[in-house]
Structure formats: structure tokens, C-alpha cells
């Protein structure tokens, strides 16, 4: 190695050490642990113990089903909403744009516990403002926390509230990179505003939207906070338990690290697989 | 048929007025160039014709019909933008046909028009490429092609060549000229480059700070500018402006003294109202209108400072008192650059302006 490079690597050493200890090693380690039976002392190597259990575990498939259900409903809804919000934010008619931009971004910086507590209050059966509003327009009150369907809806609403603005800001940046004169040319070509959106804006936003979708898929695969805090550990009765929550339950409640590691690898593998499919479906035509 | 008429056209952005009542008549089939320095309102004027900007006052008529409240797409115009404004995600072919497809134009007709435009501009080979995969000149052709397929009555160009290199600019200039001959439709072309204006235009509209300074054929503007601004703007290198004072008035002639040139005097016959005696005036002489000593009506000695030899001609930047003069000379390769010589000015080859810049004829 040339001396100049050696110096550079010496400066990098502290970072590389920490990276190796706290990133690389846990990743390798949990892979190895996933092949060990960790309920016995000492742990012993048993390659099918955790993975075999995973394939036949109804709790795993329940969590997987819940996670994927949230994924296929919440991500498209949120991204669509984010696109609409970004287009509105970009409108020249809008006053106080900076204020809206901040407001849209704010949910991301609010503490998770605080935001979950507020959601629990808002959706509470007897005191919640949401049920009050439903009542006032003549609808039945909904018991958001004790029925599975409303509880899932609540999780999706909460996640969407928290991340839609964030995605809208990213999409807004993409919108602003589309030059005005392209739209002017389209106007001269007698293309209506609506068609301009579908034939010009959306195709040009595609890379940004794909980026947001990938981030959201990865995030949702790991979903933990909302079902943990808002629907109280995946309640009612595991109805909103996600893979992230199952992992936590297995790893840190039952201290079954081998099984938790297998779940973690399944989550990562699924996120990668779904993302690859997504990228393949939306690839640029040659 | 599409003549374009602007009557007292005013444009305000908020309270800020940028075009102050423009009156321009453009005949059917004419090639008119709007020229002026940056920020004078050329683009704004063009965009008002296109319908991309509202008209704050006055009227614009295309083909005899007032279009103030007509949608841009219904005005029978097509525009070529400086930045090309191609649809980045579409192939060249899709770029050309997009407008027609969106409006339900019959497929066969769309294909015919696209094919014709591609032939006119020699872009057949590029039809399946995307704008990213094209050079600047090719993009410009596609942008022009997109205007051609609309078969407009009026073409609008907003500085279409300013992103191209010098050689390509000359080539595209010729092509646009040819296109105008071939299609025979009205074209309005905006540029800040007076060479482009001189070479392309049937008539030039010179603008300055939102005012029309003069409208005329290129050589008329060159020979007979209405004021000092037009005189300075048209012609390259720029006209020289020499400070002078009226020292004597006689029947339809004024004698001026060139104050920075050792009392050299020039008698300038005039046909209009005479200036006041003693008035400060400016004498305009183009670089190509200096003659050998003794050949003109008034000799002034100069000292060459820098010379630019272009081969066929040379431009000498000469110190003459506080004024710098640009003098065109036949290329004399052996001449040293720092010598003194005398040039001569002819009365009929010079122009007189008053202190405000208005022409004294
Ligand atoms: N949207 C706008 N809002 C406010 N002022 C504007 C707007 N567009 C243009 N202007 C002003 O109007 C004036 C004329 O602008 P315009 O773009 O027509 O100039 P131009 O002659 O085309 O200049 P250039 O050669 O630089 O393109 C300028 O002073 C500009 O600042
Ligand atoms: Mg302009």
C-alpha cells in the first residue's frame, strides 16, 4: 500500500473499528445466531430449529400478513397523498409556503411517544375527538382499539400522518426540478392541466416516487412504534402485531435470540425482495 | 393569413411596467426580429403574442382577430424556447407528435406531419432517441420540428440559438432562414445579438427598456438610425461617438468642432431643424467609415493602441484624447501596432445626435 493511502486508512481506523463492531459484527452474529437453539444453555447449533419453527409458526404468519397488509394499503395511499400535497405546495397560488413546508415536516421530528399518546387520545372511544366528529355527522362511534379492522386502519392512519409530509417534501423537490417551459410548451400544444399532470409531471417524477416508495417499504417492513405504542403491543389480541413487534417479543421479552434473528433476516430479505420487484417494475425502458 | 398587429401593448408585473405601449405591425409572411439589450422586454412581448403572459393594456391581433382573450393553443402560433423545453421522458418522435396525439388528430395525418418535419430538419435518424441523447444543435432542431408539426400561422422564436456554439449558430441561422423561405409563414424572432437580427430579418424592431426605439429593414437601421441607441446597437463593432460642439450655423448646415481632437471641424449639411449654436452634440462614425488622411472632410490624428487583425480587415483601437475610437483598416500586416496616423471623416458618412441622443438630420 502506498504511504499516502496508509495515512488515510489510519485516519479512518476509529470509524472503521466502530463500524465493524457495531454494524458488521451484529449482522454476521445474528445470522449465526439464527442457526442456533437459544432457549437452552449453552446455545447449540441447530440449523433447522428456528427456521423450521418460522415456517410453521401461526404467530409469524399473522405478523407477516399484518405487515404486508399495512404495506400494500398504506404505502400507495401515502405516496399518492404525498404527490397531491407536493403539487398543492408547488402551486403559485399558495401563500406562506414556508409555513406549510414546516408543518408537513413537523410530524417527523415530534417524539414518537408523544405523538402516539396524542393519537390514543384522539381516537379514544368516549373522549376522542375523532369519535365526536363521527357522531356529529351522524355516524356510529368506532371502538378503534378493540376491533381488529379499525385498529389496523388506525395504524395506517397514524403512519400516513407521520410520513406523508416527509415524502411530500422530497417529491416537492422533484417537482421543482421540472422546468416551467416544459409546461408552457404543453399549454401551447393544447394539453389540459390534468393531462399535463398525468403525461408530464408523473412520468418525470417517477424516479423520485420510486425512491420514496422504496424508503417507505423498508420503513413499513420494520414497523414497530405505532403498533407497540398506539394499539398496545399489537392489540387487540395480536390483530396489529407486525414482524417488528414479533421480533421484539421473541428477542427481548422471551429472550429467544435465535428465533428473533431468523425473523430479522426474514424481514430484511423480504424488504430487499419487494424493493427489487418494485425497481424492476418501474425500470426505465431502454 | 396571419399578420400580427400590436396596438399600444402594455405589460405590467404588479405595478412594475416593463412594456410601455408597443405598436408593431407585422405583415403576413414577414420575418421580424425583436432585438435589444437584456431585460428590455423582448421575451415578455413575444410571450404576450404566444398567450403565455396576460396583456395588461392594448391589443394584439393575429390574422385580423384580436387574441387578448384567446387561449394560447387557439392562436395559431408555435413557439421555440431558448431552453428547447423538450419533454425529457419522450423520444424525439413522441416529442413531435405529443400535441397532435393529445388532441385526437388522425393518426395518419400525425405521422405525415411528423415525417415531413423530420425531413425538413434532417432528424429522421434521431426519431427514437431521447432529448438527453442529443447534442444541443439536434435538440434545437427537434424543438423547431415540434413547432413545424403544429402547422402554425406564426412561428415565435425566443433566442433559439443562444445555447449553441458559434459555428453551429451560423449554421442554424442559415437553416432558419431557409425554413422561412420554404414555409412562407410569419416569424417573430427574439435575440439580443444584432448580427442575428441583421442577417435574418426582413424588418428589425429595436427595443430598449420596454420602448420601441425604431422599426425598419436591417440596412435602413444601419444607414439611418433614429437615435443614438439604435446607431450604437446596430453594427459591429459599435459606432464611435465623438463629443462635438456646434460652432457655426449657416444655411442648412452646422459646423461642429470635435472638442477632444484639437479643434478639428466638420461641416455637416442638414435637412431638418438646425441645432442651437454652441449646443453640445455627438458625432457618430462607424468604424468602417474612417478614410485615409485628406480623403474626407475633417482629419483627426490618432495613436493606435491595440490592433485586432482578422485577416480581411483589422480593427485598430485608437487613443484619441479621452475617447477611444475603433477604426477599421484594410489588413496591413506589416504595420506596427503602436504608431500614429491620421484618419479622415466624411460628413455624409457620419451622423449627428443631440445631447438626449435624438438624431439631428
Ligand atoms: N414574471 C415576472 N415578474 C416580474 N418581472 C418580470 C417577470 N418577467 C420579466 N420581468 C421583468 O421584465 C423585464 C423584461 O423581461 P424580459 O424577460 O422580457 O427581458 P428580455 O428582453 O427577454 O431579456 P433577455 O435578453 O435577458 O432574455 C425585466 O426587467 C424583467 O426583470
Ligand atoms: Mg428573454
Amino acid at each position: 500500500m502506498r504511504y499516502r493511502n496508509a495515512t488515510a486508512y489510519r485516519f479512518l481506523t476509529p470509524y472503521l473499528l466502530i463500524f465493524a463492531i457495531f454494524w458488521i459484527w451484529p449482522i454476521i452474529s445474528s445470522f449465526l445466531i439464527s442457526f442456533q437453539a437459544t432457549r437452552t444453555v449453552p446455545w447449540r447449533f441447530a440449523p433447522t430449529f428456528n427456521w423450521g419453527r418460522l415456517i410453521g409458526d401461526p404467530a409469524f404468519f399473522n405478523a407477516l400478513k399484518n405487515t404486508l397488509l399495512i404495506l400494500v394499503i398504506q404505502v400507495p395511499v401515502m405516496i399518492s397523498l404525498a404527490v397531491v400535497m407536493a403539487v398543492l405546495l408547488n402551486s403559485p397560488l399558495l401563500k406562506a409556503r414556508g409555513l406549510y413546508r414546516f408543518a408537513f415536516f413537523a410530524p417527523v421530528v415530534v417524539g414518537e411517544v408523544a405523538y402516539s399518546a396524542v393519537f390514543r387520545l384522539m381516537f379514544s372511544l368516549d373522549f376522542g375527538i375523532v369519535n365526536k366528529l363521527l357522531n356529529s355527522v351522524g355516524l356510529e362511534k368506532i371502538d378503534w382499539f378493540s376491533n381488529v379492522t379499525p385498529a389496523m386502519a388506525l395504524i395506517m392512519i397514524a403512519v400516513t400522518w407521520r410520513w406523508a409530509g416527509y415524502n411530500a417534501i422530497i417529491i416537492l423537490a422533484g417537482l421543482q426540478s421540472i422546468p416551467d417551459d416544459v409546461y408552457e410548451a404543453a399549454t401551447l400544444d393544447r394539453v389540459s392541466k390534468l393531462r399535463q399532470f398525468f403525461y408530464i409531471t408523473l412520468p418525470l417524477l417517477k424516479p423520485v416516487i420510486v425512491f420514496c416508495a422504496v424508503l417507505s417499504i423498508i420503513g413499513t417492513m420494520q414497523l414497530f412504534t405505532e403498533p407497540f405504542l398506539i394499539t398496545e403491543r399489537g392489540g387487540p389480541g395480536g390483530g396489529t402485531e407486525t414482524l417488528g413487534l414479533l421480533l421484539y417479543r421473541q428477542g427481548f421479552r422471551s429472550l429467544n435470540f435465535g428465533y428473533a434473528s431468523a425473523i430479522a433476516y426474514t424481514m430484511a430479505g423480504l424488504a430487499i425482495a419487494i424493493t427489487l420487484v418494485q425497481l424492476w417494475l418501474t425500470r426505465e425502458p431502454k | 393569413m396571419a399578420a400580427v398587429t400590436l396596438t399600444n401593448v402594455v405589460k405590467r408585473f404588479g405595478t412594475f411596467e416593463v412594456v410601455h405601449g408597443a405598436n408593431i405591425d407585422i405583415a403576413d409572411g414577414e420575418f421580424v426580429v425583436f432585438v435589444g439589450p437584456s431585460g428590455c422586454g423582448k421575451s415578455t412581448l413575444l410571450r404576450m403574442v404566444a398567450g403565455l403572459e396576460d396583456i395588461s393594456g392594448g391589443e394584439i391581433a393575429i390574422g385580423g382577430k384580436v387574441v387578448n382573450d384567446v387561449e394560447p393553443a387557439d392562436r395559431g402560433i408555435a413557439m421555440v424556447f431558448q431552453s428547447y423545453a423538450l419533454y425529457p421522458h419522450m423520444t424525439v418522435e413522441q416529442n413531435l407528435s405529443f400535441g397532435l396525439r393529445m388532441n385526437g388528430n388522425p393518426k395518419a395525418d400525425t405521422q405525415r406531419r411528423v415525417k415531413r418535419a423530420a425531413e425538413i430538419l434532417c432528424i429522421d435518424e434521431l426519431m427514437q432517441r431521447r432529448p438527453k441523447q442529443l447534442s444541443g444543435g439536434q435538440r434545437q432542431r427537434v424543438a423547431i420540428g415540434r413547432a413545424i408539426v403544429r402547422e402554425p400561422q406564426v412561428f415565435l422564436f425566443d433566442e433559439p440559438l443562444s445555447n449553441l456554439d458559434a459555428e453551429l449558430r451560423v449554421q442554424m441561422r442559415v437553416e432558419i432562414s431557409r425554413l422561412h423561405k420554404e414555409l412562407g409563414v410569419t416569424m417573430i424572432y427574439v435575440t439580443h445579438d444584432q448580427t442575428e437580427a441583421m442577417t435574418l430579418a426582413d424588418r428589425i424592431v429595436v427595443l430598449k427598456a420596454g420602448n420601441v426605439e425604431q422599426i425598419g429593414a436591417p440596412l435602413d437601421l444601419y444607414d439611418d438610425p433614429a437615435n443614438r441607441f439604435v446607431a450604437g446597437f446596430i453594427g459591429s463593432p459599435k459606432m464611435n461617438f465623438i463629443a462635438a460642439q456646434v460652432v457655426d450655423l449657416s444655411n442648412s448646415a452646422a459646423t461642429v468642432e470635435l472638442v477632444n481632437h484639437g479643434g478639428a471641424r466638420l461641416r455637416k449639411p442638414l435637412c431638418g431643424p438646425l441645432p442651437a449654436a454652441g449646443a453640445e452634440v455627438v458625432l457618430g462614425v462607424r468604424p468602417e467609415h474612417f478614410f485615409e488622411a485628406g480623403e474626407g472632410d475633417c482629419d483627426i490624428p490618432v495613436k493606435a493602441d491595440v490592433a485586432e487583425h482578422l485577416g480581411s480587415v483589422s480593427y485598430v483601437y485608437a487613443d484619441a484624447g479621452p475617447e477611444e475610437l475603433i477604426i477599421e483598416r484594410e489588413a496591413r500586416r506589416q504595420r506596427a501596432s503602436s504608431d500614429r496616423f491620421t484618419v479622415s471623416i466624411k460628413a455624409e458618412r457620419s451622423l449627428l445626435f443631440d445631447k438626449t441622443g435624438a438624431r439631428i438630420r
Side-chain angles (χ1 to χ4, degrees):
Chain A
M1 198 186 307
R2 291 233 308 276
Y3 180 73
R4 215 174 56 172
N5 287 349
T7 309
Y9 278 103
R10 276 206 288 277
F11 274 108
L12 280 171
T13 306
Y15 166 75
L16 290 176
L17 268 179
I18 291 171
F19 183 72
I21 293 170
F22 292 102
W23 273 93
I24 308 285
W25 174 240
I27 288 172
I28 296 169
S29 167
S30 70
F31 184 69
L32 297 176
I33 291 175
S34 77
F35 292 105
Q36 296 179 34
T38 54
R39 299 300 292 278
T40 53
V41 182
W43 296 354
R44 66 186 163 80
F45 181 71
T48 55
F49 186 80
N50 295 315
W51 291 101
R53 176 179 171 190
L54 191 80
I55 297 169
D57 185 357
F60 168 74
F61 283 101
N62 174 54
L64 180 64
K65 185 202 76 190
N66 289 341
T67 306
L68 292 182
L69 194 64
I70 294 172
L71 189 89
V72 298
I73 299 177
Q74 184 265 331
V75 172
V77 168
M78 178 183 69
I79 299 285
S80 311
L81 200 63
V83 171
V84 172
M85 284 159 78
V87 169
L88 294 181
L89 262 182
N90 200 31
S91 158
L93 302 175
L94 186 74
K95 303 267 188 298
R97 181 164 298 120
L99 188 69
Y100 284 100
R101 216 161 11 200
F102 169 73
F104 281 5
F105 206 75
V108 179
V109 289
V110 171
E112 297 174 337
V113 176
Y115 127 80
S116 300
V118 171
F119 259 79
R120 282 186 63 82
L121 276 177
M122 280 171 45
F123 285 82
S124 129
L125 178 61
D126 295 317
F127 320 111
I129 184 165
V130 175
N131 278 337
K132 287 248 156 60
L133 287 175
L134 287 178
N135 255 341
S136 71
V137 296
L139 293 172
E140 290 279 306
K141 279 207 272 196
I142 296 175
D143 191 350
W144 294 93
F145 299 99
S146 8
N147 296 308
V148 173
T149 310
M152 282 290 269
L154 173 54
I155 296 290
M156 295 182 205
I157 293 170
V159 176
T160 303
W161 177 83
R162 185 141 156 245
W163 293 106
Y166 174 83
N167 286 295
I169 301 292
I170 297 177
I171 294 169
L172 177 64
L175 270 183
Q176 287 172 341
S177 72
I178 305 176
D180 288 342
D181 54 16
V182 171
Y183 292 108
E184 289 179 346
T187 304
L188 294 182
D189 271 344
R190 201 195 309 271
V191 179
S192 67
K193 285 270 180 279
L194 193 67
R195 285 185 156 194
Q196 289 180 19
F197 177 77
F198 285 108
Y199 286 92
I200 296 173
T201 309
L202 272 190
L204 291 179
L205 279 183
K206 200 171 90 180
V208 181
I209 291 176
V210 170
F211 172 75
C212 286
V214 167
L215 282 190
S216 306
I217 288 169
I218 293 172
T220 302
M221 283 308 293
Q222 304 174 351
L223 188 62
F224 175 78
T225 308
E226 283 81 4
F228 186 75
L229 290 173
I230 298 181
T231 55
E232 285 190 291
R233 313 196 172 185
T240 59
E241 185 168 71
T242 57
L243 287 175
L245 216 50
L246 179 67
L247 183 157
Y248 170 81
R249 195 152 62 83
Q250 288 296 334
F252 300 96
R253 295 271 122 195
S254 316
L255 300 181
N256 187 354
F257 292 114
Y259 194 40
S261 296
I263 296 169
Y265 263 88
T266 311
M267 284 164 63
L270 278 174
I272 292 170
I274 296 174
T275 301
L276 287 179
V277 169
Q278 158 92 358
L279 289 177
W280 183 74
L281 285 177
T282 56
R283 71 198 180 282
E284 280 297 315
K286 263 281 143 264
Chain B
M1 295 293 99
V4 179
T5 314
L6 285 73
T7 315
N8 287 321
V9 170
V10 173
K11 178 66 190 177
R12 279 178 228 105
F13 289 109
T15 55
F16 180 53
E17 191 170 296
V18 298
V19 176
H20 320 287
N23 288 295
I24 304 171
D25 271 316
I26 299 168
D28 180 36
E30 198 173 20
F31 198 125
V32 167
V33 175
F34 293 174
V35 70
S38 190
C40 68
K42 313 178 289 289
S43 297
T44 305
L45 215 47
L46 194 74
R47 291 166 57 82
M48 281 196 280
V49 176
L52 296 172
E53 299 282 356
D54 293 334
I55 301 164
S56 313
E59 265 182 13
I60 295 181
I62 299 178
K65 183 169 159 254
V66 175
V67 294
N68 286 35
D69 297 318
V70 176
E71 288 295 313
D74 298 327
R75 295 188 179 193
I77 54 99
M79 182 151 167
V80 178
F81 295 81
Q82 175 175 356
S83 56
Y84 318 132
L86 299 177
Y87 307 121
H89 56 298
M90 298 185 200
T91 63
V92 169
E93 184 166 18
Q94 290 167 335
N95 260 285
L96 295 183
S97 61
F98 182 61
L100 295 172
R101 278 186 286 128
M102 286 290 110
N103 291 295
N105 197 55
K107 222 175 178 161
D109 182 57
T110 303
Q111 273 173 1
R112 179 186 63 76
R113 292 201 205 181
V114 168
K115 191 153 169 288
R116 175 163 162 266
E119 273 164 13
I120 294 177
L121 296 164
C122 307
I123 50 174
D124 310 59
E125 322 260 275
L126 310 173
M127 295 308 267
Q128 298 314 321
R129 296 215 206 152
R130 276 159 211 279
K132 249 193 304 218
Q133 302 163 317
L134 301 176
S135 72
Q138 291 169 332
R139 283 179 211 183
Q140 192 56 70
R141 273 167 217 268
V142 177
I144 294 174
R146 193 171 59 181
I148 292 177
V149 295
R150 301 201 58 208
E151 300 186 345
Q153 299 183 309
V154 182
F155 275 84
L156 308 176
F157 295 91
D158 191 356
E159 307 208 21
L161 306 186
S162 56
N163 289 340
L164 303 180
D165 64 47
E167 196 179 330
L168 208 51
R169 207 147 54 206
V170 174
Q171 189 189 331
M172 287 300 293
R173 206 163 73 196
V174 175
E175 270 183 49
I176 290 176
S177 237
R178 186 177 305 138
L179 190 70
H180 178 239
K181 275 218 191 74
E182 209 166 311
L183 302 176
V185 297
T186 314
M187 292 190 175
I188 307 178
Y189 186 106
V190 161
T191 178
H192 60 257
D193 177 358
Q194 65 89 29
T195 316
E196 253 169 50
M198 293 295 282
T199 50
L200 283 170
D202 293 329
R203 275 192 310 150
I204 297 178
V205 177
V206 183
L207 293 161
K208 178 190 164 197
N211 289 309
V212 175
E213 294 288 312
Q214 192 174 2
I215 303 179
L219 291 181
D220 290 345
L221 296 193
Y222 177 85
D223 291 334
D224 192 16
N227 54 46
R228 182 173 162 175
F229 175 78
V230 176
F233 200 82
I234 300 291
S236 171
K238 266 173 72 117
M239 180 181 271
N240 296 292
F241 294 108
I242 304 168
Q245 191 169 26
V246 178
V247 288
D248 189 33
L249 291 167
S250 66
N251 251 348
S252 67
T255 302
V256 297
E257 183 175 299
L258 309 184
V259 291
N260 295 317
H261 298 281
R265 289 186 174 203
L266 178 74
R267 186 170 178 279
K268 173 96 180 135
L270 297 170
C271 53
L274 297 175
E280 285 175 32
V281 292
V282 173
L283 191 71
V285 183
R286 294 196 183 277
E288 54 272 37
H289 293 157
F290 286 105
F291 298 88
E292 295 297 323
E295 285 179 11
D297 305 316
C298 158
D299 286 359
I300 52 177
V302 296
K303 178 172 163 293
D305 187 13
V306 179
E308 292 177 343
H309 302 290
L310 303 184
S312 57
V313 295
S314 298
Y315 293 109
V316 177
Y317 292 77
D319 261 336
E323 282 160 354
E324 187 181 63
L325 299 179
I326 307 174
I327 299 163
E328 182 183 312
R329 314 211 84 198
E330 278 170 49
R332 268 177 252 181
R333 290 159 204 243
Q334 68 278 21
R335 192 185 274 277
S337 66
S338 72
D339 55 2
R340 292 167 182 282
F341 58 100
T342 301
V343 292
S344 185
I345 299 170
K346 280 187 187 167
E348 82 246 30
R349 286 303 204 173
S350 62
L351 305 171
L352 207 55
F353 303 96
D354 70 15
K355 248 173 71 178
T356 65
R359 178 89 181 273
I360 305 171
R361 290 170 194 273

